[in-house]
Amino acid sequence: MAYNLFDGIPTNDLNDLSHLTIYSLLETFGQKKIPTAFTLNDLLANYTKETLLDWTSFNYIEVRKSWTKKNIVVHATEQVKETLEGRLLALSQEQYTLYKKALKALELKENDSRAYHLFLINVLPVAVKLGLTFITSKNNQLTLTFPEEVTEILETDAHFKNQALIQKIQSFEMILNAAVNLYGVVDFSSLLRLQSIAFPENDLTPDSIRDFYHYVSLIAIAKGHFVFEFKIASRRFDNDYHAQLFSEALGYPNQRYQPTKTEIKFFGKNDFDHRLASYKKLVKLVKSLSDDPEMAIDVIETHALMGSFMSIMMDEMNDSDLVIFSSEGEAKKFAFLYHDLLRETRQWKNYGYKIKEHSEMVSAVDPIVSMNHLNHLAPLQPSKNKPHHAVKVGRNDPCPCGSGLKYKKCCGK
């Protein structure tokens, strides 16, 4: 049975965001030829060798450039089939619902245009990266193809009957969420450390580590986190380049904050500590100052996690007029509460520690650095005397100094 769906959709019918999403996806994982066979093996073989190598790398499937394309396809097919149910379970409920609707392409397009565009923006990129869908564009026509193996599972919802796998995916997702929410950027050794804290009863055998490694990667892709160089970064970053710069500026930590089992469960469900008194007061104030408090609060949370100066955070606020102060008193109150929030937040640049905790940890090594932390002097800020190189950088590009911030919020101020 041929599952060659969405055949004949003019790409110029897409709205701007959908078009941008599709264009980027085609550039990275688009196929050159419309498939004529629809097994997973056939569809992977329809990639060029170069694209196939990129796709396997993105999925952490170990292959070698020296292998023939046929051998890469066979190995990748085996790996994907082995984790196919887990790939579907990694999708959120909303993603899964839209994915199933996509099997009835005309119904999705004609009866629910909002769901159609949500599928193109929020589900299709994930599905292509996970090998659940393959995309081709020819003569301005968009074609999506679904592997036969996937549609067979979807017809019976067989993956929902695998309770052991469901529990495994849920526990791995909790570990991943806790890690990126506490550290921003995390490697697999740190993920395994949290796994051993949360589930000390589970033995870490080579097979269980391999399982963890594969499924956590799939979950990260499905949740929209950035995956690069055997690291996973929070989707709060602007893009993967921003995340890499932030990671490089931090360097490799000698010691990350070690959460308790209870903390792992909390941060596995919450991307910010909304229990903090300063946070609650700041949210209440923002709701009275902003026409879009939800976005304003998201900006505040992200900058608090990164440990940004007040001025850097306010630059982003002012760019979109997210808060309007009607008096000097409101501005001072806002600044006071944000400063308190920084002190109480487990910051990414401090490897999950609060400012005071991190200061106490490093004080024995360098008392001056410790004092800087207590006074919230940001060590990631570029020096005022740092020479500027004659490189043209856009205001929204990551700053070349390596701070991990946008140019306009760093050296471009």
Side-chain angles (χ1 to χ4, degrees):
M1 184 174 181
Y3 294 95
N4 209 21
L5 304 180
F6 280 77
D7 197 14
I9 298 176
T11 53
N12 54 15
D13 280 357
L14 305 175
N15 64 27
D16 290 343
L17 186 54
S18 297
H19 192 280
L20 184 62
T21 303
I22 297 300
Y23 178 79
S24 175
L25 198 57
L26 285 168
E27 283 285 299
T28 311
F29 296 123
Q31 298 198 332
K32 305 300 182 184
K33 299 182 295 184
I34 295 176
T36 55
F38 309 102
T39 67
L40 189 56
N41 187 90
D42 293 325
L43 293 170
L44 287 172
N46 200 41
Y47 279 129
T48 63
K49 183 177 179 180
E50 182 181 1
T51 303
L52 184 60
L53 286 169
D54 288 341
W55 187 88
T56 52
S57 175
F58 196 84
N59 277 264
Y60 288 106
I61 296 174
E62 295 182 17
V63 298
R64 295 182 180 178
K65 290 182 180 180
S66 60
W67 291 4
T68 64
K69 179 182 171 183
K70 182 179 179 180
N71 286 341
I72 295 173
V73 168
V74 170
H75 182 68
T77 300
E78 290 174 354
Q79 293 292 308
V80 175
K81 282 185 175 180
E82 186 180 330
T83 57
L84 201 51
E85 290 188 357
R87 290 168 186 264
L88 288 166
L89 288 170
L91 301 176
S92 68
Q93 185 59 52
E94 181 184 21
Q95 286 174 320
Y96 180 71
T97 300
L98 289 170
Y99 182 75
K100 286 198 73 173
K101 281 186 177 183
L103 289 174
K104 300 177 182 178
L106 292 177
E107 174 187 325
L108 183 63
K109 183 182 178 185
E110 295 173 0
N111 298 342
D112 192 346
S113 61
R114 180 178 180 275
Y116 169 66
H117 287 290
L118 280 175
F119 169 78
L120 294 177
I121 297 167
N122 296 333
V123 183
L124 181 58
V126 169
V128 171
K129 291 169 185 176
L130 290 177
L132 303 176
T133 308
F134 295 80
I135 184 171
T136 313
S137 179
K138 191 172 184 179
N139 299 326
N140 203 38
Q141 301 289 308
L142 184 67
T143 299
L144 307 186
T145 309
F146 297 76
E148 289 178 354
E149 293 89 340
V150 173
T151 56
E152 288 170 6
I153 294 175
L154 293 178
E155 285 172 0
T156 60
D157 281 336
H159 54 303
F160 286 134
K161 300 171 186 176
N162 191 338
Q163 290 301 314
L165 182 58
I166 290 173
Q167 291 176 4
K168 181 184 292 187
I169 295 291
Q170 289 175 341
S171 66
F172 289 171
E173 183 177 346
M174 180 185 73
I175 297 299
L176 174 61
N177 289 342
V180 296
N181 292 336
L182 278 169
Y183 308 131
V185 182
V186 64
D187 55 22
F188 282 93
S189 62
S190 297
L191 286 163
L192 280 172
R193 197 173 299 116
L194 295 195
Q195 169 78 356
S196 64
I197 294 173
F199 304 101
E201 67 279 8
N202 294 348
D203 293 331
L204 292 178
T205 65
D207 284 343
S208 68
I209 292 174
R210 178 177 171 272
D211 245 18
F212 181 79
Y213 181 83
H214 281 299
Y215 283 117
V216 165
S217 301
L218 302 180
I219 296 166
I221 294 170
K223 303 310 174 191
H225 295 307
F226 299 106
V227 181
F228 59 92
E229 297 175 356
F230 301 99
K231 293 180 182 178
I232 298 172
S234 170
R235 59 190 175 192
R236 283 185 181 269
F237 288 102
D238 294 330
N239 49 53
D240 57 349
Y241 186 47
H242 180 204
Q244 288 183 59
L245 284 178
F246 188 88
S247 177
E248 289 169 5
L250 284 178
Y252 191 81
N254 292 323
Q255 183 179 352
R256 292 183 187 271
Y257 173 72
Q258 298 297 302
T260 64
K261 186 173 183 178
T262 300
E263 285 176 315
I264 292 173
K265 288 182 178 179
F266 176 81
F267 286 104
K269 294 179 180 178
N270 300 275
D271 62 358
F272 195 85
D273 194 344
H274 306 115
R275 304 167 300 180
L276 301 175
S278 57
Y279 177 82
K280 292 178 180 179
K281 292 176 183 177
L282 194 52
V283 167
K284 185 178 180 180
L285 178 61
V286 167
K287 286 180 178 179
S288 68
L289 300 174
S290 177
D291 291 331
D292 192 349
E294 186 175 342
M295 181 177 288
I297 291 166
D298 183 68
V299 170
I300 291 169
E301 290 177 357
T302 300
H303 282 281
L305 288 167
M306 291 185 178
S308 300
F309 282 138
M310 172 80 175
S311 59
I312 295 173
M313 185 268 293
M314 284 307 302
D315 277 349
E316 185 165 353
M317 288 285 201
N318 293 333
D319 282 348
S320 303
D321 293 326
L322 288 177
V323 291
I324 306 295
F325 301 112
S326 59
S327 68
E328 184 179 345
E330 284 181 345
K332 286 183 176 180
K333 183 177 181 181
F334 182 92
F336 178 81
L337 289 174
Y338 180 71
H339 183 76
D340 276 358
L341 183 63
L342 286 176
R343 288 182 175 275
E344 295 179 8
T345 299
R346 298 201 170 279
Q347 295 181 11
W348 296 348
K349 73 176 186 181
N350 290 338
Y351 315 113
Y353 288 99
K354 297 178 182 179
I355 291 175
K356 187 175 181 181
E357 291 173 345
H358 191 257
S359 174
E360 291 171 350
M361 185 185 71
V362 301
S363 61
V365 178
D366 192 334
I368 296 177
V369 172
S370 174
M371 186 59 66
N372 285 347
H373 277 275
L374 283 174
N375 292 323
H376 190 236
L377 298 178
L380 293 183
Q381 279 297 106
S383 168
K384 295 291 183 180
N385 297 321
K386 187 179 182 73
H388 292 272
H389 302 285
V391 177
K392 186 175 181 181
V393 182
R395 282 180 54 73
N396 287 313
D397 291 339
C399 188
C401 76
S403 68
L405 301 169
K406 289 183 179 180
Y407 179 65
K408 67 182 180 183
K409 298 171 185 173
C410 192
C411 296
K413 289 180 63 178

